[in-house]
Amino acid sequence: RSGLIVSFFIFFVMVGMFLVPGLVASFWLIVHTWLVLVIFYLGGFVLTLPGIAAFVLGIGMAVDANIITYERIKEEIKSGKTIRSSVIAGSKASFRTVMDANITTIIAAAVMFGLGTGSVRGFALVLIVDIVVSILTNIFFSRFLLNLLVKADAVKKAKYFGVKESDISAL
């Protein structure tokens, strides 16, 4: 029950801060969560308390990846760029940061898996699976869907990204 309450709160905040990108992020976070759970089920994983902690940490990192990306897009819009160029530039600017965080986490989890025993290895394995799924869903698919919406002119205005017209500086 607490997981659902927190999930709704996260979705509400994401949509409140970023509007259309927040909806895209919320959709892919749901897909991310279900994909990880399906992988756990098909892989026969047993979710112990450390595994659940790693699962929650992975979801938090997925949320963080979306927030970093959408904040960079908002910065680009505020600088006066077009929506399309803002999405491209913001996605490009955030890609390195997000991938660095994810790869660093995977390396740390791999070390924990290699040197740890029992519940530490379980934590590390769940975290690695969660981060890999996060990279696929929240970095590639989320950006792909947002780019499709922008190219289709479904999101033409800065307000769809949570940016007020008064916050945009003229070039």
Side-chain angles (χ1 to χ4, degrees):
R1 210 176 322 157
S2 65
L4 287 175
I5 292 169
V6 169
S7 295
F8 283 121
F9 178 73
I10 289 170
F11 297 155
F12 178 73
V13 170
M14 292 287 288
V15 172
M17 286 179 62
F18 303 110
L19 301 179
V20 172
L23 286 171
V24 170
S26 296
F27 171 74
W28 284 109
L29 286 170
I30 292 168
V31 171
H32 166 262
T33 302
W34 281 103
L35 276 174
V36 171
L37 290 174
V38 165
I39 290 169
F40 291 167
Y41 176 76
L42 294 176
F45 288 37
V46 176
L47 277 180
T48 61
L49 195 55
I52 293 170
F55 180 62
V56 171
L57 176 62
I59 291 173
M61 289 188 65
V63 170
D64 184 51
N66 283 303
I67 289 173
I68 290 169
T69 301
Y70 298 146
E71 279 297 326
R72 296 276 170 90
I73 291 170
K74 283 175 73 171
E75 289 172 8
E76 297 292 334
I77 292 171
K78 288 178 183 179
S79 74
K81 292 184 179 177
T82 65
I83 299 297
R84 185 173 289 177
S85 64
S86 295
V87 169
I88 292 169
S91 295
K92 187 176 181 181
S94 66
F95 182 78
R96 184 182 258 168
T97 303
V98 172
M99 285 303 291
D100 180 51
N102 286 324
I103 290 171
T104 303
T105 303
I106 288 173
I107 291 169
V111 169
M112 287 190 321
F113 186 82
L115 299 176
T117 59
S119 60
V120 173
R121 290 185 79 173
F123 176 88
L125 183 61
V126 170
L127 186 58
I128 290 169
V129 169
D130 207 344
I131 297 299
V132 169
V133 172
S134 174
I135 289 170
L136 293 173
T137 59
N138 296 312
I139 294 176
F140 295 111
F141 295 142
S142 178
R143 291 174 190 216
F144 177 72
L145 181 57
L146 187 59
N147 278 315
L148 283 179
L149 290 171
V150 168
K151 286 179 183 175
D153 285 333
V155 286
K156 300 179 196 178
K157 299 180 182 176
K159 69 179 183 179
Y160 295 144
F161 289 82
V163 177
K164 297 176 189 169
E165 295 292 330
S166 61
D167 292 340
I168 300 173
S169 62
L171 291 178

